[in-house]
Amino acid sequence: MSVVEQYARVHIVTDADPRLENSGAVTVVLRYDPENDPRCVRVGLPGPVPREWAVERDLLERGLRVPVDGDTIRVWPCGRVQAVVEFHSPQGVSVVEFDTKALTRFLRRTYVSAAQPVPH
């Protein structure tokens, strides 16, 4: 089992740090380490104080098809080509738009890495 890491261009619609709001496309890091945390992927958001969120892989996958809520994270499809991930923290809310293809490609790679069957 190996670590899967992928960079993705996203749009940060709102953010706890107003300097990132509507700043155009920015790069985030998607990371999956099946040995340390086989249930979650990590999403690294940029900024003056970079933040990393642990997102349940299943929640992220289901959120590509239907709206789902976690404790501090919400995911929902936005049209045919985008997915929205909403991160809640004591500092505020960050709403990030992902390209669905990038998330799907990353999730498929995580299942291959973990030697699990790829869901349909």
Side-chain angles (χ1 to χ4, degrees):
M1 295 190 281
S2 61
V3 173
V4 175
E5 189 170 277
Q6 178 177 312
Y7 293 88
R9 300 286 287 166
V10 302
H11 290 275
I12 297 178
V13 180
T14 61
D15 193 80
D17 182 348
R19 293 173 285 188
L20 291 176
E21 285 185 31
N22 300 312
S23 61
V26 298
T27 302
V28 299
V29 179
L30 302 169
R31 182 176 171 79
Y32 176 67
D33 186 346
E35 289 186 21
N36 286 328
D37 194 353
R39 294 184 46 219
C40 291
V41 299
R42 304 264 174 200
V43 178
L45 298 177
V49 179
R51 292 161 286 163
E52 184 176 84
W53 289 85
V55 181
E56 287 185 26
R57 191 167 52 153
D58 182 59
L59 180 87
L60 191 56
E61 180 188 342
R62 286 183 295 126
L64 295 176
R65 295 184 306 276
V66 297
V68 293
D69 288 333
D71 290 334
T72 59
I73 298 169
R74 294 182 180 146
V75 184
W76 66 90
C78 182
R80 297 178 67 139
V81 297
Q82 291 183 323
V84 176
V85 182
E86 186 177 282
F87 302 97
H88 293 257
S89 74
Q91 292 76 33
V93 177
S94 296
V95 179
V96 182
E97 291 179 348
F98 283 86
D99 176 47
T100 301
K101 285 184 183 180
L103 284 178
T104 300
R105 184 173 39 248
F106 172 73
L107 287 169
R108 284 191 177 146
R109 290 178 60 213
T110 69
Y111 283 102
V112 170
S113 170
Q116 294 181 7
V118 177
H120 300 292

